[in-house]
Amino acid sequence: MIDNKKAGNPAALLPIGVFIVLYLGLGILFEYVLKIPMGFYQIPIVVVFLVALLVACLQNKKLPFDDKAVLMGKGIGDKNIVYMLLIFLEAGIFVGVAGRSSAESVAYFMLSVVPAQFSVAVLFVVSCFISLAMGTSVGTITLITPIAVPVAAASGFSLPLCVASVVGGAMFGDNLSFISDTTIAATNGQGCEMKDKFRENFKIALPAAIVTVVVILVLSISTYSGSAVNRPYDLLQTVPYLLVLICGIVGVNVFVVLLIGIVSAAVIMLATGAIAPTNLLSAMGGGASGMFETAMVAILVSAICALIRENGGFEAILSWITRVFKGKKGGQLGIGLLVGIMDIATANNTVAIVMANPIAKEMSDTYGIAPRKTASLLDTFSCVFQGIIPYGAQMLVAISAASELGYSITAFDIIPFLFYPFLLLISSLVFIFAVKDK
């Protein structure tokens, strides 16, 4: 029978260790030893998680496999996991329908109305808006970096500065968006409302974003030596993003928000001729398919964590954390470091949050931290580390996009200009230690 009274057992964490060693080890081998482009993303993460699940199943031989299957089923069948999976798919459909041209319209409209010497700040603000509306930092970087390159060439601004501004803005929206998979994972994992997590996050992210804009403007004004970038745009195509953003902020149910976004995007994209009627369903299918790996990771991690919890792994982590981090503020820092370490190991902030969620949930109960605060910490710290690591998808996609346009740039060229992630970390620490909890 399943025993609900568990003692701390560090050996139960072996599946996580196996995953980290395989994924991080193979990633470093592919990316830096074998020099395979996008090496970390050549590794089938679902397969690595399956190996970790096999290790978890082989542990605790006193527990029959049928009981282990029951535990895994309960973990996967948790209502928060079900909500997460459905929202992932719906968000994917929205992005698939809204497409690339809508995001480009936002960018080129802003560049057309703002003086050219402020164009780098525009790139940051546009990236903030696009990622906030689309819910994807990688998608934003893919769309806006090809715009940042000609901006750098025409204006005389440093290419690393322009690309770093896009990456920083993309992480702003990734952290805050109502349809970001990180937000979905953090809020559902902690059982809090998205609007509450947004409000908690916003007061941390906004000061970092404002200071970033000021820093970029100071650098831009002193280095501008070129001209503006003018391209055609269609303002009507920005409406779906605006609707999603506004409805999310006012607190409309996330399923309704995404449905509004999908319907409005479909109508507008068809009306403007941006997509053919015969291609609409395939665009929806493509968007949903883009979420399949993320959904499968959530399923596998839920099963692994159910077994780790049963075997006493979470109790072992909590015991160590409560010895090292004292008090409520120490607990908040512990949650931030926990998800940060997971992100460094996995190079994927959504996976890091999904893995850290159940441990963070127990930590929040132990330290008396509100669910909205825990969700905010998970999302914020994962985005800080994801925006900085040189082998993350965001950095690699930015480098690849610039390379496709004939410009050579490295992660270490970009990192010194990643003002927003570093300022977000500072802002987070200030709010943990200097701001009194209400």
Side-chain angles (χ1 to χ4, degrees):
M1 296 299 292
I2 296 170
D3 183 12
N4 290 320
K5 294 183 179 180
K6 301 170 286 293
N9 177 21
L13 300 171
L14 180 61
I16 294 177
V18 168
F19 171 80
I20 291 173
V21 169
L22 285 177
Y23 187 77
L24 189 59
L26 288 173
I28 293 172
L29 174 66
F30 286 7
E31 185 78 31
Y32 298 107
V33 178
L34 300 180
K35 305 295 183 182
I36 298 174
M38 300 284 286
F40 270 87
Y41 298 90
Q42 304 299 320
I43 303 168
I45 193 170
V46 171
V47 175
V48 180
F49 269 119
L50 278 171
V51 174
L53 180 59
L54 175 61
V55 172
C57 288
L58 291 175
Q59 291 184 301
N60 193 2
K61 294 181 180 180
K62 294 180 180 179
L63 191 68
F65 183 77
D66 283 351
D67 284 350
K68 292 176 182 177
V70 170
L71 285 167
M72 288 187 283
K74 288 181 178 179
I76 296 169
D78 183 271
K79 73 171 185 178
N80 291 322
I81 300 299
V82 175
Y83 284 151
M84 191 189 306
L85 296 174
L86 293 175
I87 295 169
F88 279 156
L89 294 175
E90 202 175 359
I93 292 171
F94 169 69
V95 173
V97 174
R100 180 190 185 101
S101 56
S102 297
E104 290 180 341
S105 290
V106 174
Y108 288 128
F109 167 70
M110 290 289 291
L111 288 169
S112 71
V113 298
V114 175
Q117 58 265 40
F118 304 137
S119 55
V120 181
V122 169
L123 289 172
F124 175 76
V125 173
V126 167
S127 298
C128 288
F129 174 79
I130 295 298
S131 58
L132 196 59
M134 287 180 64
T136 165
S137 55
V138 172
T140 299
I141 293 167
T142 301
L143 295 174
I144 307 302
T145 300
I147 299 172
V149 171
V151 166
S155 62
F157 291 127
S158 159
L159 180 58
L161 172 63
C162 291
V163 173
S165 298
V166 173
V167 174
M171 298 315 299
F172 174 87
D174 195 324
N175 181 207
L176 288 172
S177 175
F178 284 82
I179 62 172
S180 166
D181 45 7
T182 58
T183 294
I184 296 166
T187 54
N188 281 279
Q190 300 306 311
C192 67
E193 294 289 332
M194 288 190 178
K195 62 182 179 181
D196 295 332
K197 179 263 185 186
F198 176 86
R199 290 166 184 160
E200 194 74 36
N201 249 161
F202 190 68
K203 61 187 180 185
I204 299 172
L206 183 61
I210 291 172
V211 175
T212 298
V213 170
V214 172
V215 173
I216 290 173
L217 286 175
V218 170
L219 289 176
S220 299
I221 292 172
S222 63
T223 58
Y224 173 70
S225 62
S227 59
V229 176
N230 293 309
R231 301 283 174 83
Y233 56 84
D234 187 341
L235 281 179
L236 188 60
Q237 292 180 0
T238 67
V239 171
Y241 290 146
L242 289 170
L243 287 175
V244 167
L245 188 59
I246 293 169
C247 290
I249 291 173
V250 299
V252 178
N253 179 276
V254 65
F255 290 104
V256 177
V257 169
L258 288 168
L259 185 60
I260 290 171
I262 291 167
V263 172
S264 62
V267 170
I268 289 172
M269 299 304 278
L270 288 171
T272 59
I275 190 171
T278 53
N279 293 333
L280 181 61
L281 288 178
S282 63
M284 291 181 174
S289 297
M291 287 292 190
F292 282 174
E293 183 177 79
T294 300
M296 186 56 66
V297 165
I299 291 170
L300 291 173
V301 169
S302 300
I304 293 168
C305 287
L307 294 176
I308 291 174
R309 180 186 287 110
E310 174 63 23
N311 295 336
F314 291 168
E315 284 72 16
I317 292 177
L318 285 171
S319 176
W320 177 80
I321 288 175
T322 51
R323 288 198 305 269
V324 176
F325 298 98
K326 303 298 183 181
K328 190 173 183 180
K329 293 185 181 297
Q332 293 177 46
L333 180 61
I335 290 172
L337 292 177
L338 170 70
V339 75
I341 292 169
M342 295 290 191
D343 187 77
I344 291 170
T346 63
N348 185 310
N349 46 343
T350 304
V351 174
I353 291 172
V354 172
M355 292 178 69
N357 250 331
I359 304 172
K361 179 67 174 174
E362 296 194 26
M363 289 176 64
S364 67
D365 293 338
T366 300
Y367 287 97
I369 303 169
R372 67 179 187 278
K373 170 71 80 172
T374 302
S376 172
L377 290 167
L378 288 171
D379 205 346
T380 301
F381 275 84
S382 69
C383 283
V384 165
F385 286 94
Q386 187 66 25
I388 295 171
I389 55 175
Y391 51 88
Q394 289 76 4
M395 194 76 74
L396 296 176
V397 166
I399 294 167
S400 176
S403 177
E404 288 176 4
L405 296 174
Y407 291 85
S408 178
I409 189 173
T410 70
F412 298 101
D413 295 326
I414 298 171
I415 288 173
F417 297 99
L418 288 170
F419 306 122
Y420 178 74
F422 290 114
L423 288 167
L424 181 62
L425 176 60
I426 293 171
S427 182
S428 300
L429 294 174
V430 167
F431 270 84
I432 288 175
F433 293 107
V435 177
K436 185 177 181 180
D437 288 327
K438 295 182 179 180

